[in-house]
Amino acid sequence: MSNLTDRAAYLRGLAEGMGLNKEKNENKLVLEMLDLMDEMAQKINELDGDVGELEEYVEDIDSDLSDMEDILFGDEDDDCCDEDCDCCGEYDDEEELSFDCPHCGKTVQVKAADIDYDESPVCQHCGQPFFTDLQDEDDDQE
C-alpha cells in the first residue's frame, strides 16, 4: 500500500515543480484533488495496517477456539466405542427402551426410533403419558 502514498507524494512533487498558482480556479481544483488523494492514500495505508493486525488476532482466536473444541469435544475421528454406550450418547434406532408407567406401574418397551422427543411416550396399558412434567410444561406455554 505504500505504493499509493509514494504515488500521491510524486504527484504532489510534480504539482509543486510546475509552480501552480493557487489563485487560479483550475489550479485550486487540481491542488485540492491532490490533497484529497494524499489523505486517502494515508488512510488506506493505516487501514491496511489495522486489517493486518485484525487478521493476526482472528487467527489467534481461531487457533484458541480449535484448541478448546479439541479439549471439550475431543477429536471427531476418535470413536470411544463401536457399540451403544453411555459415554458418547449414541444409540441404535432399533434399541428398545424400558419405561415404568408412573400411573399403572407396568413396564412398557418402546423402540428408540418411535419416540417423538417433543411429546411424552404414552403407556400402552393405561393410555397416560409417562412424563407428566412435559405435559404440564406444554400446558403452561399455551
Side-chain angles (χ1 to χ4, degrees):
M1 283 297 164
S2 65
N3 190 24
L4 286 176
T5 54
D6 292 345
R7 290 176 67 191
Y10 174 75
L11 291 174
R12 166 99 34 227
L14 281 177
E16 289 174 2
M18 293 173 64
L20 295 177
N21 183 356
K22 294 181 183 181
E23 301 304 319
K24 287 187 171 183
N25 285 338
E26 37 310 317
N27 292 344
K28 281 183 185 180
L29 176 63
V30 171
L31 292 171
E32 284 298 318
M33 288 171 58
L34 287 172
D35 286 342
L36 177 63
M37 281 192 284
D38 188 41
E39 287 179 34
M40 289 171 64
Q42 289 176 6
K43 191 64 173 177
I44 289 172
N45 196 27
E46 290 173 17
L47 289 173
D48 187 47
D50 292 345
V51 167
E53 288 177 25
L54 286 173
E55 284 175 347
E56 288 179 29
Y57 186 68
V58 168
E59 286 173 7
D60 289 343
I61 289 173
D62 185 48
S63 175
D64 292 345
L65 179 61
S66 178
D67 292 344
M68 286 177 48
E69 287 174 340
D70 287 345
I71 290 168
L72 292 174
F73 304 114
D75 191 5
E76 289 181 9
D77 295 335
D78 292 343
D79 290 331
C80 61
C81 58
D82 293 330
E83 300 295 322
D84 297 335
C85 66
D86 294 332
C87 64
C88 63
E90 295 180 12
Y91 61 89
D92 182 8
D93 282 346
E94 296 302 314
E95 177 181 1
E96 290 208 359
L97 307 172
S98 295
F99 293 100
D100 290 330
C101 178
H103 304 286
C104 68
K106 298 203 180 200
T107 301
V108 177
Q109 300 281 68
V110 180
K111 282 188 177 180
D114 294 339
I115 295 177
D116 179 1
Y117 291 98
D118 292 330
E119 295 181 14
S120 175
V122 176
C123 177
Q124 298 165 348
H125 300 285
C126 69
Q128 295 293 320
F130 289 115
F131 308 112
T132 55
D133 56 335
L134 290 178
Q135 293 295 113
D136 294 340
E137 287 177 16
D138 289 343
D139 293 341
D140 291 343
Q141 291 177 359
E142 292 176 2

